Amino acid sequence: MKHNCDSDGGGGSQSELEEQGGGSGEADWRHEQKNMIHLSSENGNGNGNVDSDAVRLMELGYKQELKRDLSKYSNFAFSFSIISVLSGITTLYNTGLNFGGTVSMQYGWFIVSFFTMIVGLSMAEICSSFPTSGGLYYWSAKLAGPHWAPFASWITGWFNIVGLWAGTASVDFSLAQLIQVIILLSTGGKNGGGYEASKYVVIAIHGGILLLHAILNSLPISVLSFFGQLGAAWNLAGVVILTILIPCVATERATSQFVFTHFNTDNGDGINSHAYIFVLGLLMSQYTLTGYDASAHMTEETKNPEENGPQGIISAIGISVIFGWFYIIGITFAVTNIPYLLSEDNDAGGYAIAQIFYQAFKNRYGSGVGGIVCLGGVAVATFFCGMGSVTSNSRMAYAFSRDGAMPFSSVWHKVNKQEVPINAVWLGASISFCMALTYLGSAVAFQAMVSIATIGLYIAYALPIFFRVTLARNSFSPGPFNLGRYSEVVGWIAVLWVVTISVLFSLPVAYPITNETLNYTPVAVGGLLFLTVSFWILSARHWFKGPITNLQGLTR
């Protein structure tokens, strides 16, 4: 047993709980729980040896249902594959070029990276204390205290799960768009009579990708671990190869002065303020550096989760920051004409990175096949990213439904013979597909998904951190990974950063504002907040009590 931690909120020691009103009832329950833990172990292996990870999970109120088979590297690999700098930067490279260009991408990347690491450090500290699949919503319940625990858990959980579903939808939808561009270039490009898929075909491709991801996520965790590690290796190798290859192949290269000092104000969106343009360009970096909570959601399947979970979060962010910057640098040295790259009249139909790759090889060798192959490599990385996203959201849905927070919870928290939350897997894939269907009615639907995936998730990240530095300031019991005396300072900086980006990314992105140029971030995020709070007031407050134990024979 590594350290004591409250099973019902606050995170204090047993003596602290008794002083706060837990009394002998809490002590009796903990004594009964420990007896059951040892009894379960003896029944399971006959020798009385206790799996410390299973004991820790039982102390937090849950029995081991998922197979604990992930190593430290596997845990890291899931988060790193979901962050996927190849996928995130490629998807929103147009945004970076349009709003500030090379300056906003280079320096904005470091600004966002610094504050993302701050958020990650705070999350890692809490993860070390509460290593469960529920992650953020469980943390909020334990840190907000008994009175606020149900509401804190409810809000955090719904922002987290909807953000994860939206993230899966946006990743797989961006992959469908990339496949469409690859098909376009492979058939001659826009200027050569290439095939331009309709929005219905793009949606069909998106559905096919989600179907494949759901099938793969139905396999045992050992298989998913292999794919996660392969995805991490693919991202690392892909960044190195493309960073060196693209500028070397390009016949025209940008100067160092252009790469590090050119500020693009020619965005065609009616925005002239340099500061305004710069902050809008940060979305590329912030969208990319998202999804590392996967390490927390995988802790019930990770060995030594109190240490490996936090390390997975921090290492995934740190390595992504370094390799992401290299990728931006390498690709940007092949940028010489920003307006042309963003023009819908180029061969790639305005998909900037696709045009860069295709043009580099075509100008050098007379054929853009090499560029198409490179795009294929990015598509594979994005595929791994989407697959990891489904894994992450299924574990969150499994944990949230285990605590009765979702409609038909008894269905979604079931696991199959391979100890996989199979129903939660298919639920996440289905909802992510439905989210993308809005694209059929509006071209701005993808931006709305990006908004929820970015801001929605970061709000979920910030809530438990906020409770940690306020309500649980004096009662939080840290795990093996902790920030010591810097914990509160780091936590407050993290919370303020999330508040800042929530405001910045809600600003209009074009003037005049019309139905086609409206920034749907405040609409999407505000709508989610309205629905969750309304349902809480009308119904959930009467029956949802926050995380509940699933240990048979134990009651509170």
Side-chain angles (χ1 to χ4, degrees):
M1 194 177 304
K2 294 171 184 173
H3 66 278
N4 291 328
C5 187
D6 175 29
S7 297
D8 197 35
S13 65
Q14 181 174 327
S15 60
E16 289 173 335
L17 287 167
E18 292 174 354
E19 292 175 2
Q20 294 170 8
S24 60
E26 177 73 25
D28 292 343
W29 183 86
R30 288 178 65 84
H31 179 71
E32 180 183 356
Q33 183 187 46
K34 288 180 179 180
N35 286 339
M36 180 180 177
I37 290 171
H38 287 278
L39 179 61
S40 298
S41 176
E42 290 170 357
N43 290 338
N45 56 34
N47 57 18
N49 293 331
V50 180
D51 184 319
S52 61
D53 295 335
V55 169
R56 182 70 191 112
L57 183 59
M58 283 185 169
E59 285 187 317
L60 295 174
Y62 303 112
K63 61 183 177 181
Q64 187 74 49
E65 294 181 312
L66 304 177
K67 187 174 183 180
R68 196 176 290 275
D69 202 34
L70 297 182
S71 64
K72 177 191 299 186
Y73 177 71
S74 296
N75 182 282
F76 149 80
F78 274 107
S79 280
F80 184 74
S81 295
I82 292 174
I83 292 176
S84 183
V85 293
L86 281 179
S87 172
I89 293 173
T90 298
T91 298
L92 288 190
Y93 195 77
N94 279 46
T95 299
L97 281 182
N98 197 47
F99 296 110
T102 59
V103 166
S104 69
M105 289 192 293
Q106 300 292 350
Y107 303 107
W109 179 261
F110 282 112
I111 292 173
V112 170
S113 296
F114 172 78
F115 287 107
T116 297
M117 181 60 78
I118 292 292
V119 175
L121 285 168
S122 292
M123 289 173 59
E125 181 181 52
I126 302 173
C127 178
S128 183
S129 185
F130 306 116
T132 72
S133 292
L136 310 171
Y137 87 88
Y138 183 94
W139 304 348
S140 287
K142 298 306 174 185
L143 297 170
H147 180 70
W148 289 104
F151 180 67
S153 179
W154 177 264
I155 291 294
T156 305
W158 278 109
F159 265 93
N160 194 191
I161 189 62
V162 174
L164 289 171
W165 286 333
T168 301
S170 68
V171 169
D172 280 3
F173 187 76
S174 67
L175 176 56
Q177 290 182 313
L178 180 56
I179 291 174
Q180 181 267 326
V181 172
I182 291 174
I183 293 173
L184 173 63
L185 293 174
S186 299
T187 54
K190 188 168 183 177
N191 296 316
Y195 172 73
E196 293 186 71
S198 69
K199 57 185 179 182
Y200 297 100
V201 173
V202 174
I203 285 292
I205 296 172
H206 172 70
I209 295 168
L210 278 169
L211 177 62
L212 187 54
H213 281 157
I215 293 173
L216 290 173
N217 271 276
S218 301
L219 300 175
I221 189 62
S222 57
V223 178
L224 292 179
S225 174
F226 168 76
F227 280 118
Q229 295 179 46
L230 180 60
W234 188 278
N235 269 276
L236 290 172
V239 168
V240 173
I241 292 172
L242 293 176
T243 298
I244 298 172
L245 181 63
I246 298 303
C248 288
V249 171
T251 56
E252 296 181 9
R253 287 184 288 272
T255 63
S256 297
Q257 181 179 8
F258 176 86
V259 171
F260 293 103
T261 65
H262 179 72
F263 192 85
N264 180 41
T265 58
D266 184 20
N267 50 65
D269 294 313
I271 301 175
N272 299 314
S273 168
H274 284 210
Y276 198 164
I277 292 172
F278 182 81
V279 298
L280 291 179
L282 296 179
L283 180 59
M284 181 199 77
S285 301
Q286 195 66 80
Y287 171 73
T288 301
L289 297 174
T290 304
Y292 43 86
D293 57 315
S295 287
H297 295 305
M298 303 305 294
T299 49
E300 288 187 31
E301 296 163 90
T302 301
K303 300 171 184 176
N304 191 19
E306 294 170 302
E307 296 181 6
N308 292 338
Q311 290 177 15
I313 293 173
I314 300 305
S315 58
I317 296 173
I319 296 176
S320 294
V321 166
I322 296 171
F323 279 79
W325 184 67
F326 285 150
Y327 184 54
I328 293 172
I329 286 286
I331 301 307
T332 306
F333 266 108
V335 172
T336 56
N337 189 338
I338 293 178
Y340 178 68
L341 292 177
L342 296 174
S343 173
E344 294 184 0
D345 295 326
N346 62 36
D347 285 316
Y351 200 117
I353 281 191
Q355 182 63 33
I356 292 172
F357 290 2
Y358 184 77
Q359 185 174 289
F361 279 88
K362 189 173 183 179
N363 289 347
R364 171 75 67 176
Y365 302 109
S367 170
V369 173
I372 296 173
V373 172
C374 291
L375 288 175
V378 175
V380 172
T382 307
F383 181 84
F384 283 126
C385 176
M387 186 174 69
S389 295
V390 173
T391 306
S392 182
N393 73 49
S394 66
R395 270 52 179 183
M396 170 60 196
Y398 156 80
F400 208 30
S401 60
R402 180 175 59 185
D403 291 319
M406 298 176 64
F408 308 106
S409 287
S410 61
V411 175
W412 313 127
H413 84 268
K414 289 184 177 179
V415 297
N416 62 12
K417 294 180 179 179
Q418 286 74 42
E419 299 176 304
V420 173
I422 187 72
N423 294 340
V425 167
W426 288 91
L427 173 68
S430 300
I431 292 179
S432 296
F433 177 71
C434 291
M435 283 182 165
L437 291 178
T438 55
Y439 173 69
L440 298 177
S442 172
V444 298
F446 177 70
Q447 188 62 40
M449 286 187 286
V450 171
S451 300
I452 298 178
T454 305
I455 302 303
L457 274 180
Y458 268 92
I459 290 175
Y461 294 174
L463 286 172
I465 299 173
F466 175 74
F467 297 133
R468 158 69 184 92
V469 297
T470 53
L471 298 176
R473 178 180 179 183
N474 297 319
S475 61
F476 177 70
S477 179
F481 178 91
N482 65 83
L483 304 176
R485 61 179 179 175
Y486 300 105
S487 178
E488 289 185 32
V489 174
V490 172
W492 275 115
I493 294 174
V495 170
L496 292 175
W497 174 248
V498 174
V499 172
T500 300
I501 62 175
S502 297
V503 173
L504 294 180
F505 296 157
S506 296
L507 298 173
V509 295
Y511 293 91
I513 300 174
T514 65
N515 290 336
E516 291 298 320
T517 61
L518 176 67
N519 183 353
Y520 282 84
T521 300
V523 177
V525 178
L528 176 58
L529 178 62
F530 175 78
L531 290 174
T532 53
V533 173
S534 297
F535 193 68
W536 171 261
I537 295 173
L538 296 175
S539 176
R541 65 189 177 94
H542 299 296
W543 50 265
F544 182 69
K545 304 304 179 184
I548 56 176
T549 181
N550 70 349
L551 298 177
Q552 295 179 359
L554 295 181
T555 58
R556 297 306 309 266

